[in-house]
Amino acid sequence: MSKQDYSRQDGKHHLHPFSDNAALAREGVRVMVKAKGIYVYDDEGNEILDGMAGLWCVNIGYGRKELAKVAKKQMKELPFYNTFFKTTHPAVVELSATITDIAPSGFNHVFYTGSGSESVDTMMRMVRHYWASVGKPQKKVIIGRWNGYHGSTIGGASLGGMKGMHSQGDLPIPNVVHIEQPWYYGLAKDGESPEEFGLRAANWLEEKIEEIGADKIAAFVGEPIQGAGGVIIPPKTYWPRIEEICRKHDILLVADEVICGFGRTGNWFGHETMGFKPDIFTTAKGLSSGYLPIGAVLVNDKVAEGLKAGGEFNHGFTYSGHPVAAAVAKKNLEILQDEGIVDQVKNETGPYMKKRWEETFSQFKYVDDIRSEGLICGFTLVKDKARRELFPNTGETGLMCRDIFFKNNLIMRACGDHMVAAPPLVMTKKEIDKMLAVAEQCMREFEQMMDKKLAKEEKAGKKEEKSDQ
Ligand SMILES: *Cc1c(COP(=O)(O)O)cnc(C)c1O
């Protein structure tokens, strides 16, 4: 197949995730052929800086030969065996020791999955099974948040708060409810400080618990920092208050660490950065730096004991603890440890990114709420900074901006009208400068385009006014 053929052939047969496939087949796709470090390369030879680490996952960067090596070795030795029927294998035993060693104290048990969505679905079944095991089978309701993202399976999509996902196919499933997200910029009252807002937002959970009854609620689940919702970083008061509420009402607290886990926020886990202790946390993405699909659900000793008391948990995946994925994940974690990458994000590149990110974007009039933590960053495109006025038709402006970045060979993502970045954690200060130099150019281009668009709209609006008179 010639290079151009890939794009055309793709449109003929391949249904893409989260895409309008008819439009995509007409317009064509970009064909990625290789990757190295923080760059991916397309079939036209363009070098594209990957500011999203794939999908928030390629944390140690592309092209790490060590991972290829352990995968090859494991494939030759034991490419597959299951862990269902009184069997195990060295790769999964070793990974479990490594993960629980990295996890905060009190987390000594892990259940494996093949993805973030499977981790979330596992957790949803697990919290209900836990309560049934300890004699409270009526505790079934799981509380998530609007605009949260927890994957695309029926459970994960239900628990997530993406209305566009709920609108397709009768979601959410029963006994899954949502509270509002802790988005200070969009939801704070006039004069309310971030700290005050954080407490008020956390109290929405208590209101929901009182409405439903704590005796019916199994768990509250949230991403420490909302990723796909647009990198929403809650005020520091939010999570400790959430934890307090969960303890008071005897509800399990679950952190969805699929993005935040394994170093993204400058600590091993996002809940450490945000200052709370969950009972369970779900992971995937950064666990293997995306080199192979694998996820893991970690449970604290209390939950592990409860589950063990409940006899058989009728749940598992063919690929739970897949040997090749497990071997690769273990090597990935060792690289993060040996190269001190998490500390580097915490003490060097994270703070540097914060400073440079703010410097770069604060000069633009359509940008506000510039934020970052470790190497997860965002800002919001707004029509009028002084009045905190967002653009109408949420998402349209974000896509326009994203396309300018993509055309200039820098991958950032638009989540609604939030522009976000989550580059590989191995990114150096020099590479941060390089990324932001390109981003600055892109934003200039965006600003000019938006100036023209708004001027045109204003002119059209005036004409309409005249003809109305
Ligand atoms: C990506 C993501 C998921 C889903 O993971 P998949 O591997 O795509 O199934 C779940 N939760 C969060 C927080 C995520 O970012």
Side-chain angles (χ1 to χ4, degrees):
M1 245 183 247
S2 84
K3 282 181 176 172
Q4 292 83 334
D5 275 355
Y6 280 113
S7 181
R8 204 161 3 102
Q9 287 290 336
D10 186 85
K12 280 189 189 159
H13 306 295
H14 179 191
L15 296 172
H16 289 246
F18 283 104
S19 301
D20 174 344
N21 278 286
L24 201 60
R26 274 194 309 275
E27 290 159 17
V29 290
R30 218 164 159 172
V31 182
M32 304 302 194
V33 291
K34 61 179 186 179
K36 183 116 187 70
I38 61 164
Y39 297 99
V40 288
Y41 299 84
D42 69 11
D43 64 352
E44 288 168 0
N46 289 303
E47 181 178 83
I48 306 158
L49 199 157
D50 187 4
M52 282 308 295
L55 272 178
W56 330 72
C57 57
V58 187
N59 290 354
I60 61 165
Y62 297 97
R64 297 294 302 237
K65 292 204 170 64
E66 306 93 309
L67 295 198
K69 207 172 136 196
V70 298
K72 184 176 172 188
K73 181 166 174 275
Q74 185 62 48
M75 258 196 200
K76 283 180 166 170
E77 245 165 53
L78 181 73
F80 178 79
Y81 200 71
N82 74 74
T83 49
F84 284 29
F85 308 123
K86 299 186 179 177
T87 52
T88 192
H89 53 76
V92 78
V93 175
E94 287 177 22
L95 176 62
S96 306
T98 306
I99 292 195
T100 50
D101 184 38
I102 286 170
S105 68
F107 285 92
N108 295 302
H109 292 83
V110 50
F111 190 104
Y112 291 101
T113 72
S115 68
S117 301
E118 288 178 16
S119 291
V120 167
D121 278 38
T122 296
M123 173 276 294
M124 291 174 79
R125 297 201 64 211
M126 206 179 239
V127 295
R128 289 172 174 175
H129 181 58
Y130 167 82
W131 286 115
S133 302
V134 299
K136 295 184 179 173
Q138 72 284 7
K139 277 170 87 70
K140 280 184 204 153
V141 175
I142 305 175
I143 305 176
R145 298 180 300 182
W146 293 118
N147 207 34
Y149 186 77
H150 299 294
S152 272
T153 46
I154 287 177
S158 292
L159 182 61
M162 299 295 179
K163 289 184 179 157
M165 294 175 82
H166 289 177
S167 70
Q168 296 176 332
D170 284 343
L171 300 182
I173 53 170
N175 289 320
V176 173
V177 300
H178 302 83
I179 61 170
E180 195 46 89
Q181 59 179 332
W183 182 31
Y184 177 71
Y185 190 83
L187 299 173
K189 293 178 185 164
D190 275 349
E192 194 174 28
S193 71
E195 292 73 24
E196 286 164 346
F197 172 76
L199 292 176
R200 185 163 67 88
N203 288 338
W204 294 331
L205 174 61
E206 188 149 53
E207 285 162 27
K208 188 55 101 182
I209 292 170
E210 278 160 6
E211 179 192 319
I212 296 169
D215 57 331
K216 295 200 179 69
I217 303 172
F220 171 74
V221 188
E223 305 155 76
I225 291 172
Q226 277 171 287
V231 181
I232 307 298
I233 307 176
K236 293 286 179 223
T237 49
Y238 179 76
W239 276 112
R241 175 74 186 130
I242 289 278
E243 181 176 1
E244 208 174 273
I245 293 168
C246 289
R247 301 286 168 248
K248 179 172 155 198
H249 295 281
D250 200 18
I251 286 163
L252 292 174
L253 175 54
V254 181
D256 185 350
E257 294 272 6
V258 171
I259 286 176
C260 293
F262 305 109
R264 175 62 55 199
T265 67
N267 288 295
W268 278 101
F269 298 100
H271 64 262
E272 297 171 294
T273 303
M274 301 313 292
F276 71 103
K277 286 198 184 71
D279 296 295
I280 300 178
F281 60 94
T282 47
T283 72
K285 295 191 173 111
L287 171 54
S288 64
S289 282
Y291 277 64
L292 280 175
I294 182 168
V297 181
L298 281 99
V299 304
N300 68 12
D301 295 341
K302 170 181 123 174
V303 173
E305 237 171 75
L307 289 172
K308 282 181 180 176
E312 185 168 337
F313 179 32
N314 299 315
H315 180 83
F317 304 102
T318 301
Y319 299 140
S320 287
H322 190 286
V324 185
V328 165
K330 177 174 164 258
K331 189 70 197 171
N332 172 61
L333 297 180
E334 282 170 1
I335 289 173
L336 285 170
Q337 284 177 313
D338 294 348
E339 299 181 7
I341 292 166
V342 182
D343 282 344
Q344 180 182 308
V345 171
K346 185 183 187 117
N347 299 316
E348 288 176 40
T349 48
Y352 187 72
M353 175 67 98
K354 190 175 199 63
K355 177 170 160 280
R356 295 285 296 109
W357 184 261
E358 281 168 7
E359 281 168 4
T360 303
F361 296 113
S362 58
Q363 57 183 305
F364 294 104
K365 65 179 174 214
Y366 299 119
V367 170
D368 209 358
D369 197 18
I370 301 164
R371 53 202 185 261
S372 80
E373 188 74 59
L375 287 183
I376 182 166
C377 332
F379 61 78
T380 304
L381 294 166
V382 298
K383 194 167 172 191
D384 188 331
K385 251 201 236 200
R387 291 165 49 197
R388 286 193 164 205
E389 184 190 346
L390 304 173
F391 284 103
N393 305 325
T394 306
E396 204 181 277
T397 309
L399 281 186
M400 180 178 141
C401 187
R402 198 250 347 238
D403 287 348
I404 293 172
F405 278 76
F406 199 34
K407 193 186 74 195
N408 285 287
N409 293 326
L410 170 58
I411 296 178
M412 282 185 33
R413 186 168 154 191
C415 303
D417 286 341
H418 306 293
M419 291 300 297
V420 306
L425 302 184
V426 292
M427 192 178 229
T428 62
K429 288 183 182 173
K430 230 179 172 168
E431 289 170 332
I432 289 172
D433 287 338
K434 194 167 166 193
M435 168 174 155
L436 292 176
V438 180
E440 192 170 339
Q441 283 309 314
C442 294
M443 284 312 290
R444 270 188 226 300
E445 203 177 308
F446 170 80
E447 195 171 274
Q448 284 166 7
M449 218 168 176
M450 186 50 76
D451 282 346
K452 270 191 209 148
K453 185 167 180 264
L454 291 179
K456 213 165 139 192
E457 279 170 15
E458 199 180 333
K459 224 168 147 190
K462 278 200 183 130
K463 250 189 207 161
E464 223 164 74
E465 249 169 54
K466 258 190 195 159
S467 65
D468 279 350
Q469 282 164 359

